[in-house]
Amino acid sequence: MANPVIKAEKREEFGKGASRRLRAAGRVPGVLYSSGEDNLHFHVDILEISALVRNDGTNAILELDIDGEKNLAMVKNIDQNVLTLNIDHIDLLGVKRGEKVNVEVPVTYEGEAAADAVVLQELDVVEIEVEALKIPDEIIVSIEGKEIGDQIFASDLQLPEGAELLTDPEFLVINVTYEQVDEELEAAAADVEEGGAEAGADTEGEDGDAEGTVEIADGGEGDEGASE
């Protein structure tokens, strides 16, 4: 499958002011880093690069066409605006066909565990070394039929052919367990409920005393009326 081609232009101006002008014109400034070569500063159309990142993720491989010269590259880092979420800057890493790179890949699970089991995902990404053109979008692990007490570690993951796990193989990825009750939280809730009940009882007692006082007052007024 052919890699997407993103057309770019060399940057001639630098600094915050120049970057702001590029963004205002719908362009994203970036840098292409390649081992043993000078860094290339460029800018690309915001819609094109945003679509690439949205569809292919942060490890996307592309052909960066700078003034007609194509450079095979991988998306290494993006800076997003905290308010608009637009890409403000992008870093690319130049790669060669057959070259291996270190990347972080998301881990997801599929399937159904035992009905009474709770599945906890303890690790969301793992780092692997893999050929640049064979970076997986995700690593999928099956939990089908897993019982309480079953665990899946990083070493159990099925990696792409030729890939090497860089994350500690003993890291826990999936933990199949039972629903745990926070005893301290339950005890605190019980105390609050009990305290509320006692407060309600005290209020009722106070109301009763108040009613008795009114009756005595009424009786006194009646006596005074009789003496008059």
Side-chain angles (χ1 to χ4, degrees):
M1 187 173 179
N3 298 307
V5 177
I6 300 292
K7 288 187 175 296
E9 298 178 20
K10 286 184 179 180
R11 291 174 59 190
E12 303 297 341
E13 295 182 313
F14 302 94
K16 293 183 179 180
S19 295
R20 281 196 294 267
R21 287 191 292 274
L22 284 173
R23 296 184 191 110
R27 309 289 292 180
V28 175
V31 181
L32 172 64
Y33 299 93
S34 299
S35 178
E37 300 180 18
D38 293 336
N39 299 335
L40 290 176
H41 298 263
F42 62 88
H43 57 89
V44 294
D45 181 80
I46 189 171
L47 296 180
E48 284 191 69
I49 201 66
S50 297
L52 174 75
V53 172
R54 182 173 59 251
N55 295 330
D56 298 342
T58 54
N59 293 327
I61 299 293
L62 66 144
E63 295 272 2
L64 186 69
D65 185 341
I66 303 180
D67 299 333
E69 181 182 345
K70 291 184 179 180
N71 302 266
L72 187 63
M74 178 182 73
V75 176
K76 192 61 177 175
N77 183 66
I78 59 173
D79 292 332
Q80 287 183 290
N81 185 291
V82 294
L83 296 179
T84 66
L85 298 183
N86 288 336
I87 298 177
D88 277 348
H89 188 277
I90 189 164
D91 290 334
L92 302 181
L93 178 65
V95 296
K96 297 179 175 60
R97 298 184 187 279
E99 180 182 6
K100 288 189 173 184
V101 293
N102 297 349
V103 294
E104 288 187 341
V105 179
V107 177
T108 60
Y109 65 83
E110 63 180 9
E112 296 289 338
D116 56 345
V118 174
V119 179
L120 301 178
Q121 182 162 349
E122 307 288 352
L123 197 63
D124 294 324
V125 298
V126 292
E127 186 176 8
I128 63 174
E129 183 183 60
V130 64
E131 188 177 330
L133 298 184
K134 295 182 180 179
I135 300 173
D137 294 330
E138 60 185 357
I139 295 174
I140 302 175
V141 58
S142 174
I143 60 166
E144 187 66 36
K146 296 294 184 183
E147 302 284 347
I148 292 175
D150 288 340
Q151 295 180 319
I152 300 173
F153 296 89
S155 58
D156 299 321
L157 300 178
Q158 297 295 315
L159 304 181
E161 183 179 355
E164 179 183 349
L165 181 68
L166 299 180
T167 295
D168 188 330
E170 295 185 0
F171 275 8
L172 181 61
V173 179
I174 300 291
N175 188 22
V176 183
T177 184
Y178 55 89
E179 185 174 1
Q180 298 179 357
V181 177
D182 191 324
E183 295 181 357
E184 291 185 1
L185 187 60
E186 281 203 339
D191 289 343
V192 170
E193 185 176 351
E194 183 179 349
E198 291 178 355
D202 292 342
T203 302
E204 289 177 2
E206 291 172 0
D207 290 344
D209 292 343
E211 291 175 359
T213 302
V214 171
E215 289 177 0
I216 292 172
D218 290 344
E221 290 176 0
D223 291 340
E224 289 175 3
S227 61
E228 288 177 357

